[in-house]
Amino acid sequence: MLDAELCRRWMAAMAAAVDREADRLTELDAAIGDADHGANLRRGFAAVAAALEKEPQDTPGAVLTLAGRQLISTVGGASGPLYGTLLRRAGKALGDAPSATRAELAAALGAGVAAVAQLGGATAGDKTMLDALEPAVTALGDVSFAAAARAAGEGAVATVPMRARKGRASYLGERSVGHQDPGATSSALLLAALAEVAA
Ligand code: ADP
Ligand code: MG
Protein backbone atom coordinates (compact mmCIF):
# COMPACT_ATOMS: atom_id res chain seq x y z
CA MET A 1 0.00 0.00 0.00
CA LEU A 2 1.16 3.52 -0.84
CA ASP A 3 0.16 6.41 1.37
CA ALA A 4 0.84 10.15 1.21
CA GLU A 5 4.02 9.80 3.27
CA LEU A 6 5.46 7.29 0.79
CA CYS A 7 4.57 9.50 -2.16
CA ARG A 8 6.29 12.46 -0.48
CA ARG A 9 9.37 10.31 0.02
CA TRP A 10 9.15 9.30 -3.67
CA MET A 11 9.23 12.94 -4.75
CA ALA A 12 12.09 13.71 -2.32
CA ALA A 13 14.06 10.72 -3.65
CA MET A 14 13.48 11.92 -7.22
CA ALA A 15 14.67 15.44 -6.29
CA ALA A 16 17.85 13.91 -4.83
CA ALA A 17 18.38 11.66 -7.88
CA VAL A 18 17.92 14.52 -10.34
CA ASP A 19 20.30 16.66 -8.31
CA ARG A 20 22.91 13.87 -8.31
CA GLU A 21 22.46 13.09 -12.04
CA ALA A 22 21.90 16.64 -13.34
CA ASP A 23 25.26 16.81 -15.14
CA ARG A 24 24.64 13.50 -16.91
CA LEU A 25 21.13 14.58 -17.98
CA THR A 26 22.54 17.85 -19.28
CA GLU A 27 25.31 16.04 -21.19
CA LEU A 28 22.74 13.80 -22.88
CA ASP A 29 20.67 16.87 -23.76
CA ALA A 30 23.81 18.65 -25.05
CA ALA A 31 24.25 15.85 -27.60
CA ILE A 32 20.74 15.96 -29.09
CA GLY A 33 19.06 19.03 -27.56
CA ASP A 34 19.97 22.28 -25.86
CA ALA A 35 21.81 21.13 -22.72
CA ASP A 36 19.20 22.18 -20.18
CA HIS A 37 17.46 18.96 -19.13
CA GLY A 38 19.49 18.54 -15.92
CA ALA A 39 18.95 22.15 -14.90
CA ASN A 40 15.26 22.02 -15.83
CA LEU A 41 14.53 18.97 -13.71
CA ARG A 42 16.76 20.07 -10.85
CA ARG A 43 14.82 23.32 -10.61
CA GLY A 44 11.48 21.54 -11.02
CA PHE A 45 11.91 18.77 -8.47
CA ALA A 46 13.60 21.09 -5.97
CA ALA A 47 10.42 23.19 -6.17
CA VAL A 48 8.32 20.03 -5.74
CA ALA A 49 10.26 18.99 -2.63
CA ALA A 50 10.03 22.50 -1.16
CA ALA A 51 6.29 22.75 -1.84
CA LEU A 52 5.64 19.38 -0.21
CA GLU A 53 7.61 20.40 2.87
CA LYS A 54 5.52 23.53 3.18
CA GLU A 55 2.18 21.86 2.35
CA PRO A 56 2.66 18.10 2.93
CA GLN A 57 -0.76 16.95 1.58
CA ASP A 58 -2.53 13.98 3.10
CA THR A 59 -3.38 11.69 0.18
CA PRO A 60 -1.23 10.18 -2.59
CA GLY A 61 -3.44 11.89 -5.16
CA ALA A 62 -2.92 15.32 -3.61
CA VAL A 63 0.86 14.81 -3.36
CA LEU A 64 1.16 13.93 -7.06
CA THR A 65 -1.21 16.71 -8.11
CA LEU A 66 0.79 19.34 -6.22
CA ALA A 67 4.05 17.93 -7.64
CA GLY A 68 2.67 18.12 -11.17
CA ARG A 69 1.50 21.69 -10.69
CA GLN A 70 4.93 22.73 -9.40
CA LEU A 71 6.67 21.18 -12.41
CA ILE A 72 4.38 22.95 -14.85
CA SER A 73 4.89 26.32 -13.18
CA THR A 74 8.67 26.12 -12.59
CA VAL A 75 10.12 24.30 -15.63
CA GLY A 76 10.39 26.24 -18.88
CA GLY A 77 11.42 23.35 -21.14
CA ALA A 78 9.16 20.79 -22.79
CA SER A 79 9.81 18.34 -19.98
CA GLY A 80 8.10 20.55 -17.34
CA PRO A 81 4.60 20.46 -18.84
CA LEU A 82 5.10 16.81 -19.84
CA TYR A 83 6.22 15.55 -16.41
CA GLY A 84 3.74 17.92 -14.81
CA THR A 85 0.93 16.41 -16.85
CA LEU A 86 2.08 12.88 -15.99
CA LEU A 87 1.94 13.52 -12.24
CA ARG A 88 -1.10 15.77 -12.21
CA ARG A 89 -3.14 13.34 -14.27
CA ALA A 90 -1.99 10.42 -12.12
CA GLY A 91 -2.90 12.39 -9.00
CA LYS A 92 -6.34 13.12 -10.38
CA ALA A 93 -6.86 9.42 -11.17
CA LEU A 94 -5.99 8.49 -7.57
CA GLY A 95 -8.66 10.90 -6.32
CA ASP A 96 -8.84 11.48 -2.56
CA ALA A 97 -8.29 7.91 -1.39
CA PRO A 98 -5.99 7.76 1.68
CA SER A 99 -3.85 5.06 0.06
CA ALA A 100 -3.35 3.20 -3.19
CA THR A 101 -2.25 -0.30 -4.14
CA ARG A 102 0.57 -0.89 -6.61
CA ALA A 103 -2.06 -1.80 -9.23
CA GLU A 104 -3.97 1.42 -8.55
CA LEU A 105 -0.80 3.49 -8.87
CA ALA A 106 0.03 1.69 -12.13
CA ALA A 107 -3.43 2.47 -13.51
CA ALA A 108 -3.13 6.11 -12.43
CA LEU A 109 0.33 6.47 -13.99
CA GLY A 110 -1.07 4.78 -17.09
CA ALA A 111 -3.63 7.57 -17.34
CA GLY A 112 -0.78 10.05 -16.87
CA VAL A 113 1.27 8.44 -19.63
CA ALA A 114 -1.72 8.60 -21.98
CA ALA A 115 -2.09 12.31 -21.18
CA VAL A 116 1.63 12.86 -21.92
CA ALA A 117 1.23 11.09 -25.27
CA GLN A 118 -1.77 13.24 -26.08
CA LEU A 119 -0.09 16.50 -25.05
CA GLY A 120 3.17 15.82 -26.90
CA GLY A 121 1.77 13.83 -29.80
CA ALA A 122 4.44 11.15 -29.36
CA THR A 123 4.14 7.36 -29.36
CA ALA A 124 6.48 4.54 -28.40
CA GLY A 125 9.55 4.49 -30.65
CA ASP A 126 9.72 8.28 -31.12
CA LYS A 127 12.75 8.48 -28.75
CA THR A 128 11.11 10.31 -25.86
CA MET A 129 10.33 9.77 -22.18
CA LEU A 130 7.43 7.56 -23.30
CA ASP A 131 9.92 4.86 -24.32
CA ALA A 132 10.85 4.48 -20.66
CA LEU A 133 7.48 5.28 -19.09
CA GLU A 134 5.26 2.94 -21.09
CA PRO A 135 7.12 -0.33 -20.39
CA ALA A 136 7.65 0.77 -16.79
CA VAL A 137 3.96 1.32 -16.13
CA THR A 138 3.12 -2.05 -17.67
CA ALA A 139 5.70 -3.78 -15.46
CA LEU A 140 4.45 -1.87 -12.43
CA GLY A 141 0.94 -3.18 -12.96
CA ASP A 142 1.96 -6.72 -13.88
CA VAL A 143 5.05 -7.44 -11.78
CA SER A 144 6.67 -5.21 -9.14
CA PHE A 145 8.26 -1.85 -8.28
CA ALA A 146 11.71 -3.27 -9.02
CA ALA A 147 10.57 -4.64 -12.39
CA ALA A 148 9.15 -1.22 -13.27
CA ALA A 149 12.47 0.45 -12.47
CA ARG A 150 14.30 -2.15 -14.55
CA ALA A 151 11.89 -1.74 -17.49
CA ALA A 152 12.33 2.04 -17.41
CA GLY A 153 16.11 1.69 -17.44
CA GLU A 154 15.96 -0.76 -20.33
CA GLY A 155 13.51 1.51 -22.13
CA ALA A 156 15.92 4.43 -21.78
CA VAL A 157 18.82 2.39 -23.19
CA ALA A 158 16.58 1.23 -26.04
CA THR A 159 16.26 4.86 -27.22
CA VAL A 160 19.95 4.88 -28.28
CA PRO A 161 19.43 3.44 -31.80
CA MET A 162 16.15 5.31 -32.32
CA ARG A 163 15.75 8.32 -34.56
CA ALA A 164 13.94 11.15 -32.71
CA ARG A 165 10.57 12.05 -34.14
CA LYS A 166 9.39 14.48 -31.42
CA GLY A 167 10.88 17.34 -29.46
CA ARG A 168 14.09 19.25 -30.10
CA ALA A 169 16.10 16.10 -30.91
CA SER A 170 13.88 15.52 -33.96
CA TYR A 171 15.46 18.60 -35.60
CA LEU A 172 18.66 16.53 -35.88
CA GLY A 173 16.98 13.80 -37.90
CA GLU A 174 19.40 10.94 -38.56
CA ARG A 175 22.04 12.58 -36.33
CA SER A 176 19.90 11.85 -33.26
CA VAL A 177 20.69 8.14 -33.71
CA GLY A 178 23.32 6.76 -31.34
CA HIS A 179 22.43 8.93 -28.32
CA GLN A 180 20.28 8.08 -25.30
CA ASP A 181 17.24 10.30 -24.87
CA PRO A 182 17.57 12.61 -21.84
CA GLY A 183 13.87 12.48 -20.93
CA ALA A 184 13.78 8.67 -21.08
CA THR A 185 16.85 8.71 -18.83
CA SER A 186 15.18 10.97 -16.25
CA SER A 187 12.04 8.81 -16.42
CA ALA A 188 14.21 5.86 -15.41
CA LEU A 189 15.32 7.93 -12.39
CA LEU A 190 11.66 8.56 -11.49
CA LEU A 191 10.88 4.83 -11.48
CA ALA A 192 14.13 4.01 -9.65
CA ALA A 193 13.17 6.54 -6.97
CA LEU A 194 9.77 4.86 -6.60
CA ALA A 195 11.35 1.41 -6.27
CA GLU A 196 13.79 2.80 -3.71
CA VAL A 197 11.08 4.13 -1.37
CA ALA A 198 8.56 1.34 -1.97
CA ALA A 199 11.06 -1.49 -1.34
P1 ADP B 1 13.48 21.08 -24.05
O1 ADP B 1 13.43 20.04 -25.15
O2 ADP B 1 12.40 22.09 -24.16
O3 ADP B 1 14.85 21.67 -23.91
P2 ADP B 1 14.08 19.30 -21.85
O4 ADP B 1 15.48 19.32 -22.36
O5 ADP B 1 13.91 19.56 -20.40
O6 ADP B 1 13.16 20.27 -22.68
O7 ADP B 1 13.45 17.86 -22.12
C1 ADP B 1 13.74 17.13 -23.28
C2 ADP B 1 13.05 15.79 -23.19
O8 ADP B 1 11.65 15.95 -23.25
C3 ADP B 1 13.37 14.86 -24.35
O9 ADP B 1 14.55 14.12 -24.09
C4 ADP B 1 12.15 13.97 -24.44
O10 ADP B 1 12.27 12.80 -23.64
C5 ADP B 1 11.06 14.83 -23.85
N1 ADP B 1 10.16 15.28 -24.92
C6 ADP B 1 10.34 16.32 -25.75
N2 ADP B 1 9.28 16.45 -26.57
C7 ADP B 1 8.42 15.45 -26.25
C8 ADP B 1 7.13 15.02 -26.75
N3 ADP B 1 6.52 15.67 -27.74
N4 ADP B 1 6.55 13.94 -26.17
C9 ADP B 1 7.16 13.31 -25.15
N5 ADP B 1 8.36 13.65 -24.64
C10 ADP B 1 8.98 14.70 -25.20
MG1 MG C 1 16.55 20.64 -23.45
Side-chain angles (χ1 to χ4, degrees):
M1 279 304 228
L2 295 99
D3 58 9
E5 155 75 13
L6 192 134
C7 286
R8 287 196 297 270
R9 285 200 284 126
W10 176 19
M11 292 298 111
M14 177 59 175
V18 157
D19 190 54
R20 203 166 57 231
E21 300 288 328
D23 289 350
R24 177 160 163 263
L25 295 175
T26 287
E27 264 169 46
L28 293 172
D29 197 32
I32 58 169
D34 58 353
D36 64 356
H37 192 56
N40 282 344
L41 290 194
R42 174 142 56 187
R43 182 176 346 103
F45 280 96
V48 168
L52 287 172
E53 263 177 42
K54 226 169 86 185
E55 306 170 64
Q57 310 300 315
D58 52 13
T59 63
V63 169
L64 297 188
T65 301
L66 178 61
R69 240 189 295 128
Q70 285 297 318
L71 291 171
I72 291 168
S73 63
T74 56
V75 181
S79 60
L82 293 165
Y83 273 119
T85 294
L86 172 73
L87 296 181
R88 218 168 54 157
R89 184 68 190 80
K92 191 175 160 204
L94 290 172
D96 54 13
S99 64
T101 63
R102 173 167 56 80
E104 285 166 347
L105 180 66
L109 287 172
V113 167
V116 169
Q118 197 184 14
L119 176 65
T123 53
D126 285 350
K127 196 180 182 100
T128 71
M129 58 175 68
L130 290 176
D131 291 305
L133 292 173
E134 284 189 356
V137 167
T138 301
L140 185 64
D142 293 351
V143 194
S144 66
F145 290 104
R150 236 176 356 256
E154 287 164 8
V157 170
T159 63
V160 173
M162 291 177 187
R163 176 186 171 144
R165 284 193 291 255
K166 290 288 169 201
R168 245 174 237 288
S170 66
Y171 308 156
L172 292 179
E174 206 48 51
R175 280 183 294 137
S176 64
V177 172
H179 301 279
Q180 187 165 314
D181 180 62
T185 307
S186 54
S187 289
L189 296 179
L190 183 65
L191 274 296
L194 176 62
E196 182 188 316
V197 300

PDB file of all heavy atoms in Angstrom, residues 6 10 13 140 144-150 188-199:
ATOM      1  N   LEU A   6       4.593   7.990   1.751  1.00  0.00           N
ATOM      2  CA  LEU A   6       5.459   7.289   0.790  1.00  0.00           C
ATOM      3  C   LEU A   6       5.590   8.089  -0.512  1.00  0.00           C
ATOM      4  O   LEU A   6       6.677   8.167  -1.094  1.00  0.00           O
ATOM      5  CB  LEU A   6       4.911   5.884   0.532  1.00  0.00           C
ATOM      6  CG  LEU A   6       5.890   4.988  -0.226  1.00  0.00           C
ATOM      7  CD1 LEU A   6       5.977   3.617   0.428  1.00  0.00           C
ATOM      8  CD2 LEU A   6       5.482   4.845  -1.667  1.00  0.00           C
ATOM      9  N   TRP A  10       8.861   9.546  -2.246  1.00  0.00           N
ATOM     10  CA  TRP A  10       9.153   9.300  -3.670  1.00  0.00           C
ATOM     11  C   TRP A  10       9.616  10.595  -4.341  1.00  0.00           C
ATOM     12  O   TRP A  10      10.649  10.639  -5.020  1.00  0.00           O
ATOM     13  CB  TRP A  10       7.899   8.734  -4.351  1.00  0.00           C
ATOM     14  CG  TRP A  10       8.017   8.519  -5.832  1.00  0.00           C
ATOM     15  CD1 TRP A  10       9.171   8.418  -6.565  1.00  0.00           C
ATOM     16  CD2 TRP A  10       6.934   8.369  -6.759  1.00  0.00           C
ATOM     17  NE1 TRP A  10       8.865   8.216  -7.895  1.00  0.00           N
ATOM     18  CE2 TRP A  10       7.509   8.192  -8.033  1.00  0.00           C
ATOM     19  CE3 TRP A  10       5.539   8.371  -6.627  1.00  0.00           C
ATOM     20  CZ2 TRP A  10       6.735   8.020  -9.182  1.00  0.00           C
ATOM     21  CZ3 TRP A  10       4.760   8.194  -7.767  1.00  0.00           C
ATOM     22  CH2 TRP A  10       5.357   8.019  -9.033  1.00  0.00           C
ATOM     23  N   ALA A  13      13.019  11.589  -3.079  1.00  0.00           N
ATOM     24  CA  ALA A  13      14.060  10.721  -3.651  1.00  0.00           C
ATOM     25  C   ALA A  13      14.337  11.104  -5.101  1.00  0.00           C
ATOM     26  O   ALA A  13      15.488  11.075  -5.560  1.00  0.00           O
ATOM     27  CB  ALA A  13      13.640   9.254  -3.551  1.00  0.00           C
ATOM     28  N   LEU A 140       4.938  -2.229 -13.769  1.00  0.00           N
ATOM     29  CA  LEU A 140       4.452  -1.866 -12.433  1.00  0.00           C
ATOM     30  C   LEU A 140       3.119  -2.543 -12.156  1.00  0.00           C
ATOM     31  O   LEU A 140       2.878  -3.067 -11.072  1.00  0.00           O
ATOM     32  CB  LEU A 140       4.316  -0.341 -12.315  1.00  0.00           C
ATOM     33  CG  LEU A 140       3.926   0.194 -10.942  1.00  0.00           C
ATOM     34  CD1 LEU A 140       5.008  -0.105  -9.904  1.00  0.00           C
ATOM     35  CD2 LEU A 140       3.663   1.697 -11.005  1.00  0.00           C
ATOM     36  N   SER A 144       6.202  -5.764 -10.422  1.00  0.00           N
ATOM     37  CA  SER A 144       6.674  -5.212  -9.141  1.00  0.00           C
ATOM     38  C   SER A 144       7.285  -3.825  -9.347  1.00  0.00           C
ATOM     39  O   SER A 144       7.521  -3.404 -10.481  1.00  0.00           O
ATOM     40  CB  SER A 144       7.744  -6.132  -8.538  1.00  0.00           C
ATOM     41  OG  SER A 144       8.900  -6.122  -9.377  1.00  0.00           O
ATOM     42  N   PHE A 145       7.581  -3.151  -8.224  1.00  0.00           N
ATOM     43  CA  PHE A 145       8.263  -1.847  -8.281  1.00  0.00           C
ATOM     44  C   PHE A 145       9.650  -2.006  -8.900  1.00  0.00           C
ATOM     45  O   PHE A 145      10.065  -1.192  -9.728  1.00  0.00           O
ATOM     46  CB  PHE A 145       8.391  -1.248  -6.873  1.00  0.00           C
ATOM     47  CG  PHE A 145       7.078  -0.812  -6.304  1.00  0.00           C
ATOM     48  CD1 PHE A 145       6.433  -1.570  -5.336  1.00  0.00           C
ATOM     49  CD2 PHE A 145       6.471   0.354  -6.744  1.00  0.00           C
ATOM     50  CE1 PHE A 145       5.212  -1.163  -4.817  1.00  0.00           C
ATOM     51  CE2 PHE A 145       5.249   0.777  -6.231  1.00  0.00           C
ATOM     52  CZ  PHE A 145       4.611   0.001  -5.257  1.00  0.00           C
ATOM     53  N   ALA A 146      10.350  -3.055  -8.503  1.00  0.00           N
ATOM     54  CA  ALA A 146      11.709  -3.274  -9.016  1.00  0.00           C
ATOM     55  C   ALA A 146      11.674  -3.552 -10.515  1.00  0.00           C
ATOM     56  O   ALA A 146      12.521  -3.054 -11.270  1.00  0.00           O
ATOM     57  CB  ALA A 146      12.369  -4.429  -8.269  1.00  0.00           C
ATOM     58  N   ALA A 147      10.694  -4.334 -10.955  1.00  0.00           N
ATOM     59  CA  ALA A 147      10.573  -4.644 -12.389  1.00  0.00           C
ATOM     60  C   ALA A 147      10.261  -3.378 -13.183  1.00  0.00           C
ATOM     61  O   ALA A 147      10.740  -3.207 -14.309  1.00  0.00           O
ATOM     62  CB  ALA A 147       9.488  -5.690 -12.617  1.00  0.00           C
ATOM     63  N   ALA A 148       9.478  -2.487 -12.592  1.00  0.00           N
ATOM     64  CA  ALA A 148       9.148  -1.224 -13.266  1.00  0.00           C
ATOM     65  C   ALA A 148      10.404  -0.370 -13.437  1.00  0.00           C
ATOM     66  O   ALA A 148      10.630   0.215 -14.503  1.00  0.00           O
ATOM     67  CB  ALA A 148       8.092  -0.464 -12.478  1.00  0.00           C
ATOM     68  N   ALA A 149      11.225  -0.320 -12.397  1.00  0.00           N
ATOM     69  CA  ALA A 149      12.466   0.454 -12.473  1.00  0.00           C
ATOM     70  C   ALA A 149      13.389  -0.142 -13.538  1.00  0.00           C
ATOM     71  O   ALA A 149      14.009   0.588 -14.326  1.00  0.00           O
ATOM     72  CB  ALA A 149      13.162   0.479 -11.113  1.00  0.00           C
ATOM     73  N   ARG A 150      13.467  -1.471 -13.558  1.00  0.00           N
ATOM     74  CA  ARG A 150      14.304  -2.146 -14.555  1.00  0.00           C
ATOM     75  C   ARG A 150      13.789  -1.858 -15.968  1.00  0.00           C
ATOM     76  O   ARG A 150      14.559  -1.559 -16.878  1.00  0.00           O
ATOM     77  CB  ARG A 150      14.276  -3.653 -14.306  1.00  0.00           C
ATOM     78  CG  ARG A 150      15.643  -4.234 -14.114  1.00  0.00           C
ATOM     79  CD  ARG A 150      15.714  -5.706 -13.780  1.00  0.00           C
ATOM     80  NE  ARG A 150      14.488  -6.429 -13.583  1.00  0.00           N
ATOM     81  CZ  ARG A 150      14.014  -6.799 -12.398  1.00  0.00           C
ATOM     82  NH1 ARG A 150      14.645  -6.460 -11.287  1.00  0.00           N
ATOM     83  NH2 ARG A 150      12.893  -7.469 -12.311  1.00  0.00           N
ATOM     84  N   ALA A 188      13.654   7.021 -16.112  1.00  0.00           N
ATOM     85  CA  ALA A 188      14.208   5.861 -15.409  1.00  0.00           C
ATOM     86  C   ALA A 188      14.569   6.241 -13.965  1.00  0.00           C
ATOM     87  O   ALA A 188      14.399   5.433 -13.049  1.00  0.00           O
ATOM     88  CB  ALA A 188      15.423   5.319 -16.159  1.00  0.00           C
ATOM     89  N   LEU A 189      15.032   7.475 -13.763  1.00  0.00           N
ATOM     90  CA  LEU A 189      15.320   7.933 -12.391  1.00  0.00           C
ATOM     91  C   LEU A 189      14.041   8.005 -11.566  1.00  0.00           C
ATOM     92  O   LEU A 189      14.026   7.668 -10.380  1.00  0.00           O
ATOM     93  CB  LEU A 189      15.982   9.319 -12.406  1.00  0.00           C
ATOM     94  CG  LEU A 189      17.358   9.445 -13.053  1.00  0.00           C
ATOM     95  CD1 LEU A 189      17.828  10.900 -12.999  1.00  0.00           C
ATOM     96  CD2 LEU A 189      18.369   8.534 -12.363  1.00  0.00           C
ATOM     97  N   LEU A 190      12.949   8.447 -12.198  1.00  0.00           N
ATOM     98  CA  LEU A 190      11.664   8.562 -11.489  1.00  0.00           C
ATOM     99  C   LEU A 190      11.184   7.187 -11.004  1.00  0.00           C
ATOM    100  O   LEU A 190      10.726   7.037  -9.877  1.00  0.00           O
ATOM    101  CB  LEU A 190      10.621   9.195 -12.423  1.00  0.00           C
ATOM    102  CG  LEU A 190       9.238   9.458 -11.840  1.00  0.00           C
ATOM    103  CD1 LEU A 190       9.298  10.504 -10.721  1.00  0.00           C
ATOM    104  CD2 LEU A 190       8.261   9.919 -12.923  1.00  0.00           C
ATOM    105  N   LEU A 191      11.318   6.186 -11.850  1.00  0.00           N
ATOM    106  CA  LEU A 191      10.878   4.830 -11.483  1.00  0.00           C
ATOM    107  C   LEU A 191      11.849   4.190 -10.499  1.00  0.00           C
ATOM    108  O   LEU A 191      11.441   3.415  -9.622  1.00  0.00           O
ATOM    109  CB  LEU A 191      10.703   3.968 -12.733  1.00  0.00           C
ATOM    110  CG  LEU A 191       9.336   4.061 -13.437  1.00  0.00           C
ATOM    111  CD1 LEU A 191       8.223   3.548 -12.517  1.00  0.00           C
ATOM    112  CD2 LEU A 191       8.976   5.458 -13.902  1.00  0.00           C
ATOM    113  N   ALA A 192      13.140   4.523 -10.615  1.00  0.00           N
ATOM    114  CA  ALA A 192      14.126   4.009  -9.646  1.00  0.00           C
ATOM    115  C   ALA A 192      13.854   4.611  -8.265  1.00  0.00           C
ATOM    116  O   ALA A 192      13.959   3.924  -7.245  1.00  0.00           O
ATOM    117  CB  ALA A 192      15.541   4.326 -10.110  1.00  0.00           C
ATOM    118  N   ALA A 193      13.483   5.883  -8.241  1.00  0.00           N
ATOM    119  CA  ALA A 193      13.174   6.543  -6.966  1.00  0.00           C
ATOM    120  C   ALA A 193      11.954   5.893  -6.312  1.00  0.00           C
ATOM    121  O   ALA A 193      11.913   5.690  -5.090  1.00  0.00           O
ATOM    122  CB  ALA A 193      12.930   8.038  -7.189  1.00  0.00           C
ATOM    123  N   LEU A 194      10.970   5.536  -7.128  1.00  0.00           N
ATOM    124  CA  LEU A 194       9.772   4.863  -6.596  1.00  0.00           C
ATOM    125  C   LEU A 194      10.140   3.492  -6.009  1.00  0.00           C
ATOM    126  O   LEU A 194       9.724   3.148  -4.904  1.00  0.00           O
ATOM    127  CB  LEU A 194       8.723   4.712  -7.707  1.00  0.00           C
ATOM    128  CG  LEU A 194       7.457   3.950  -7.333  1.00  0.00           C
ATOM    129  CD1 LEU A 194       6.683   4.651  -6.206  1.00  0.00           C
ATOM    130  CD2 LEU A 194       6.543   3.772  -8.552  1.00  0.00           C
ATOM    131  N   ALA A 195      10.945   2.743  -6.751  1.00  0.00           N
ATOM    132  CA  ALA A 195      11.347   1.410  -6.274  1.00  0.00           C
ATOM    133  C   ALA A 195      12.145   1.525  -4.976  1.00  0.00           C
ATOM    134  O   ALA A 195      12.011   0.695  -4.075  1.00  0.00           O
ATOM    135  CB  ALA A 195      12.157   0.698  -7.355  1.00  0.00           C
ATOM    136  N   GLU A 196      12.960   2.587  -4.889  1.00  0.00           N
ATOM    137  CA  GLU A 196      13.794   2.799  -3.705  1.00  0.00           C
ATOM    138  C   GLU A 196      12.922   3.016  -2.455  1.00  0.00           C
ATOM    139  O   GLU A 196      13.158   2.410  -1.421  1.00  0.00           O
ATOM    140  CB  GLU A 196      14.646   4.038  -4.007  1.00  0.00           C
ATOM    141  CG  GLU A 196      15.658   4.466  -2.964  1.00  0.00           C
ATOM    142  CD  GLU A 196      16.272   5.827  -3.368  1.00  0.00           C
ATOM    143  OE1 GLU A 196      16.614   6.013  -4.563  1.00  0.00           O
ATOM    144  OE2 GLU A 196      16.382   6.703  -2.490  1.00  0.00           O
ATOM    145  N   VAL A 197      11.889   3.844  -2.578  1.00  0.00           N
ATOM    146  CA  VAL A 197      11.079   4.134  -1.374  1.00  0.00           C
ATOM    147  C   VAL A 197      10.029   3.062  -1.098  1.00  0.00           C
ATOM    148  O   VAL A 197       9.603   2.886   0.042  1.00  0.00           O
ATOM    149  CB  VAL A 197      10.381   5.523  -1.453  1.00  0.00           C
ATOM    150  CG1 VAL A 197      11.406   6.627  -1.598  1.00  0.00           C
ATOM    151  CG2 VAL A 197       9.348   5.581  -2.567  1.00  0.00           C
ATOM    152  N   ALA A 198       9.616   2.335  -2.145  1.00  0.00           N
ATOM    153  CA  ALA A 198       8.560   1.344  -1.965  1.00  0.00           C
ATOM    154  C   ALA A 198       9.117  -0.028  -1.555  1.00  0.00           C
ATOM    155  O   ALA A 198       8.370  -0.918  -1.202  1.00  0.00           O
ATOM    156  CB  ALA A 198       7.745   1.201  -3.252  1.00  0.00           C
ATOM    157  N   ALA A 199      10.434  -0.174  -1.613  1.00  0.00           N
ATOM    158  CA  ALA A 199      11.060  -1.486  -1.340  1.00  0.00           C
ATOM    159  C   ALA A 199      10.841  -1.898   0.124  1.00  0.00           C
ATOM    160  O   ALA A 199      10.810  -1.057   1.002  1.00  0.00           O
ATOM    161  CB  ALA A 199      12.555  -1.421  -1.636  1.00  0.00           C
TER     162      ALA A 199
END
